[in-house]
Amino acid sequence: QNQIRVIEEFKVSKKSKCGIITFVSKFEEFADQAETIFKGSERRADLDKAYSKLIKAVNDTIERVAIEHQKTPRDVVMFENFHHMFATLSRLKITHLENEKREAKQKYQDHLQAYVTAFLGKPLEKLSNFFEGIEARVAQGVKEEEVGYQLAFSKQELRKVIKEYTAKEVKKGIDSLYKKVEKNLCEEENLLQVVWHSMQDEFICQYKYFESMIARCYPGANIVLEFTINDVLQFFSDIAQSHY
């Protein structure tokens, strides 16, 4: 009850980024002690019930902190802290808490993906907008291979947009993205590489979408982007290593 009260009264710091919230680390210490003290005890069932209440308070308050925190994006607060809860519950191997462990893992994965999608956004925005325009025309009934005959979507227009995204420009954009991500994440949970790898996958997904749209709508036009997937992999890898 005391633990739950402390958790529910937790005040959000306005000064620093969030990181692992104190009551999440405290839960880990508490569970370690409780497991040592009650190992093989007939009070085991009571302890398991108490854990369930405690974890509910932890989860609810992580969600509140994520909304209230001003220095760290909501999804980062969620995925870092639920990752910590998942790691703790995996290590403790408490049979009664399998559902809580699954829930923590799911929340960690969902919010990691949401952060990557929102934060990466459309790194090649003009290309994204160009192809979204094409998709809108196709939805109105224009055939894919005939879109290029419309002035706004001619080969010349596409080449003009592609020219804006040289390898050098793209690398600069990815580098600035890394610095922002690094500012959001905390060191103790050590998820920067995981997030960075997901960003790379998402970026390559967008790249492949552009390639397939060019192949479908401009067959035989010999139009390619100014950088390759291998370049993208190299940029992501070089930037991560230069910040170690």
Side-chain angles (χ1 to χ4, degrees), residues 27 34 51 55 79 115 132 142 166 174-175 181 207 228:
F27 169 77
Y51 275 146
I55 290 176
F79 77 69
Y115 172 73
E132 278 166 17
V142 178
T166 60
I174 295 174
D175 191 49
V181 172
Y207 185 100
T228 64

Side-chain angles (χ1 to χ4, degrees), residues 70-127:
Q70 289 164 4
K71 294 266 187 212
T72 304
R74 175 175 174 264
D75 285 316
V76 174
V77 175
M78 294 289 281
F79 77 69
E80 286 187 330
N81 284 282
F82 278 109
H83 178 266
H84 199 92
M85 286 299 287
F86 170 62
T88 299
L89 295 172
S90 298
R91 184 173 60 75
L92 290 170
K93 297 187 173 70
I94 299 167
T95 320
H96 182 75
L97 299 178
E98 273 304 305
N99 282 343
E100 283 83 349
K101 184 178 87 174
R102 268 198 300 276
E103 188 188 352
K105 184 183 185 181
Q106 193 62 53
K107 285 189 173 171
Y108 153 61
Q109 290 173 333
D110 289 351
H111 286 279
L112 175 69
Q113 193 50 52
Y115 172 73
V116 166
T117 308
F119 215 72
L120 180 69
K122 298 176 184 171
L124 311 171
E125 191 170 7
K126 289 180 182 169
L127 266 175

Side-chain angles (χ1 to χ4, degrees), residues 169-191:
E169 276 306 303
V170 171
K171 186 171 184 181
K172 202 165 99 185
I174 295 174
D175 191 49
S176 120
L177 180 71
Y178 188 94
K179 287 173 185 156
K180 286 179 195 159
V181 172
E182 201 174 26
K183 273 201 183 102
N184 285 336
L185 269 55
C186 71
E187 280 176 25
E188 69 256 45
E189 205 52 21
N190 206 13
L191 287 173

